[in-house]
């Protein structure tokens, strides 16, 4: 009998003690609202299944993308928190997505696969994901037309 506890699928993935250690105190202060939004995203446990089902992706793909964009990937890749990304994920998790949210999801699934599973650096992976799923470009166009 092992003393190692069984993993609990209901628990959020383990996060580094301070996944925002790469930010200086001014960035932390300025980005505090978005950091809190990222923390809330990582606390939710039923979003992955719902999003995966809605967009016909595997739970594993969506979980990897979530961890990469909002969880442990933040500190590992020294990402800055992004308000638009947090808002898009929150909308998808609540079933209130807008047309371009799926583009972000597919961008993050693709990019995280390149980085996590294939060992590509984040810059090259992001550029390839952006070429295939140009979420930031679509977001700018959407803002321009609003």
């Amino acid at each position: 009998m092992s003393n190692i506890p069984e993993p609990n699928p209901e628990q959020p993935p383990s996060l580094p003690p301070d996944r925002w250690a790469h930010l200086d105190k001014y960035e932390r202060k300025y980005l505090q609202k978005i950091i809190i939004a990222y923390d809330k995203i990582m606390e939710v446990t039923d979003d992955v299944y719902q999003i995966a089902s809605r967009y016909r992706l595997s739970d594993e793909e969506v979980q990897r993308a979530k961890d990469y964009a909002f969880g442990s990937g933040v500190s590992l890749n020294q990402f800055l928190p992004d308000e638009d990304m947090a808002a898009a994920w929150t909308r998808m998790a609540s079933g209130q997505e807008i047309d371009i949210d799926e583009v972000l999801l597919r961008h993050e699934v693709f990019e995280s696969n390149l980085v996590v599973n294939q060992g590509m650096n984040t810059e090259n992976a992001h550029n390839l994901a952006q070429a295939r799923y140009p979420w930031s470009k679509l977001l700018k166009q959407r803002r321009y037309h609003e």
Side-chain angles (χ1 to χ4, degrees):
M1 184 164 172
S2 172
N3 290 335
I4 301 171
E6 290 294 317
N8 181 349
E10 296 301 316
Q11 292 179 338
S14 63
L15 298 172
D18 184 4
R19 72 183 190 278
W20 304 107
H22 60 284
L23 301 178
D24 67 34
K25 67 180 182 179
Y26 302 107
E27 290 169 322
R28 284 175 182 243
K29 183 177 179 178
Y30 177 74
L31 299 168
Q32 182 178 17
K33 178 182 168 187
I34 308 165
I35 289 170
I36 291 169
Y38 272 53
D39 291 343
K40 287 180 181 178
I41 287 168
M42 292 310 297
E43 289 171 3
V44 175
T45 58
D46 61 351
D47 58 339
V48 169
Y49 172 75
Q50 293 172 5
I51 292 169
S53 294
R54 193 173 307 116
Y55 294 104
R56 298 180 184 200
L57 295 165
S58 72
D59 291 352
E60 292 79 18
E61 289 174 309
V62 175
Q63 185 66 58
R64 184 190 64 238
K66 179 181 178 181
D67 293 341
Y68 175 78
F70 302 102
S72 58
V74 167
S75 58
L76 185 64
N77 301 297
Q78 298 190 348
F79 293 146
L80 290 174
D82 182 279
E83 187 173 17
D84 292 313
M85 286 178 59
W89 191 274
T90 302
R91 285 190 302 268
M92 286 187 289
S94 67
Q96 298 177 3
E97 61 276 345
I98 60 174
D99 56 343
I100 65 171
D101 292 345
E102 182 177 3
V103 179
L104 170 67
L105 175 63
R106 295 194 182 277
H107 175 114
E108 293 303 326
V109 166
F110 185 70
E111 182 176 332
S112 66
N113 177 52
L114 293 173
V115 173
V116 174
N117 293 338
Q118 299 183 35
M120 187 178 285
N121 70 54
T122 55
E123 182 179 0
N124 289 343
H126 176 73
N127 290 338
L128 287 172
Q130 190 63 22
R132 185 175 284 188
Y133 303 106
W135 180 73
S136 58
K137 183 178 179 180
L138 293 173
L139 184 63
K140 287 178 187 176
Q141 289 173 352
R142 182 181 183 86
R143 285 191 176 139
Y144 178 77
H145 293 293
E146 286 181 345

